[in-house]
Structure formats: structure tokens, C-alpha cells
């Protein structure tokens, strides 16, 4: 999680700064590609943690907490990959990652009364925003 948060901070600042310098677009695209590789690795790790938390032998409360934390990390990685793919121009794969993030949350909470933790509510909003930005790009 700390690795993803550091990469989020670095990526958002740098990518945002470079987008306004036409001569640096090659560098920006290269950095986006490197970041995608990093987030792919983070996603693999987060998905393994989610599987382990789901198969754990711990107390029910602890298991639920671990599963929710792992799920939040999977969703965050999928969202960032969606962002990177959108920035790189791959709208189809970006859409798939945004939708996968929504699917993870929906699958975990469908039919349950306990609702979403605040972080996951924010991630759902971020996925919807990402999908909306793709739609806006397609309309132009």
C-alpha cells in the first residue's frame, strides 16, 4: 500500500506537469508505460493478498477486515491502471480496468446491509469519473 501511495503521488504530479510540454511527450509516454508495469505488479500482489484473506483461518472479524483492506488495494490498483491506460490512449483497456474495479466492490457487497467503507465509496466514485472521462473523449 505504501508503494502504491508513493507511486500515486509521483505519477500524478509528474504526468500532470509533463502533459503541458509538447517536447516531453515521449518521456511522458515512457514514464506512463513504466508506471503501468509497476501497477501491474502491485495489482498481482494485491489480488494474492485478497485470495489469502478470503481463504484465511482467522476470526471472522479479522478475516473481514483483512479482506476489505485487500479489496481496497485491488480496486485502487485497477483504478490507477485505468488512469494510466486512459492517459496513454488505450480507452478499451482503461474501461476494462475501471469496470473491474466496480465489479470487485459490487461482488463483495451485493446483498449485504453493512454498506461500503468510506475508502471504497471514494474508489467507486473514481471509477465512475474515469468511465465518464472516457465517454467524454469518445464524444469529441
Amino acid at each position: 500500500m505504501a508503494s502504491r501511495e508513493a507511486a500515486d503521488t509521483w505519477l500524478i504530479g509528474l504526468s500532470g506537469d509533463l502533459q503541458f510540454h509538447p517536447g516531453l511527450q515521449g518521456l511522458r509516454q515512457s514514464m506512463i508505460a513504466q508506471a503501468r508495469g509497476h501497477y501491474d505488479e502491485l495489482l498481482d500482489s494485491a489480488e494474492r493478498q485478497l485470495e489469502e484473506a478470503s481463504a484465511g483461518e482467522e476470526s471472522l472479524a479479522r478475516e473481514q477486515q483483512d479482506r476489505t483492506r485487500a479489496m481496497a488495494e485491488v480496486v485502487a490498483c485497477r483504478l490507477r491502471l485505468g488512469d494510466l491506460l486512459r492517459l496513454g490512449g488505450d480507452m478499451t483497456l482503461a474501461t476494462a480496468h475501471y469496470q473491474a474495479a466496480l465489479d470487485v466492490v459490487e461482488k463483495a457487497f451485493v446483498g449485504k446491509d453493512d454498506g461500503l467503507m468510506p475508502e471504497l465509496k471514494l474508489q467507486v466514485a473514481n471509477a465512475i469519473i474515469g468511465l465518464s472521462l472516457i465517454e467524454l473523449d469518445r464524444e469529441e
Side-chain angles (χ1 to χ4, degrees):
M1 184 160 142
S3 176
R4 182 191 46 80
E5 289 173 351
D8 286 351
T9 301
W10 170 83
L11 176 66
I12 290 167
L14 188 58
S15 180
D17 291 344
L18 291 179
Q19 81 180 32
F20 300 109
H21 300 282
L24 298 176
Q25 289 308 305
L27 174 62
R28 181 175 184 252
Q29 291 303 318
S30 174
M31 295 178 95
I32 287 172
Q34 288 177 9
R36 281 182 52 194
H38 179 69
Y39 280 98
D40 281 332
E41 290 174 13
L42 291 173
L43 177 60
D44 288 344
S45 175
E47 287 179 333
R48 278 192 306 276
Q49 288 175 350
L50 181 57
E51 287 176 20
E52 291 169 7
S54 297
E57 298 289 326
E58 302 174 19
S59 72
L60 186 59
R62 174 71 180 190
E63 181 181 319
Q64 179 62 34
Q65 184 181 36
D66 289 348
R67 191 170 41 247
T68 301
R69 196 174 308 121
M71 182 186 353
E73 192 63 19
V74 168
V75 170
C77 288
R78 288 229 177 251
L79 289 174
R80 191 55 71 211
L81 279 164
D83 292 343
L84 289 165
L85 289 158
R86 184 175 50 78
L87 290 171
D90 189 339
M91 301 307 176
T92 301
L93 200 48
T95 298
H97 276 286
Y98 290 134
Q99 190 58 55
L102 291 172
D103 292 346
V104 168
V105 175
E106 181 180 331
K107 181 180 174 185
F109 289 97
V110 78
K112 294 185 180 176
D113 294 331
D114 55 359
L116 298 177
M117 65 185 231
E119 181 181 344
L120 286 176
K121 287 180 183 179
L122 177 63
Q123 301 299 30
V124 167
N126 287 335
I128 292 169
I129 290 168
L131 290 168
S132 297
L133 289 171
I134 289 171
E135 278 304 308
L136 287 172
D137 285 345
R138 287 182 178 154
E139 290 175 5
E140 291 180 354

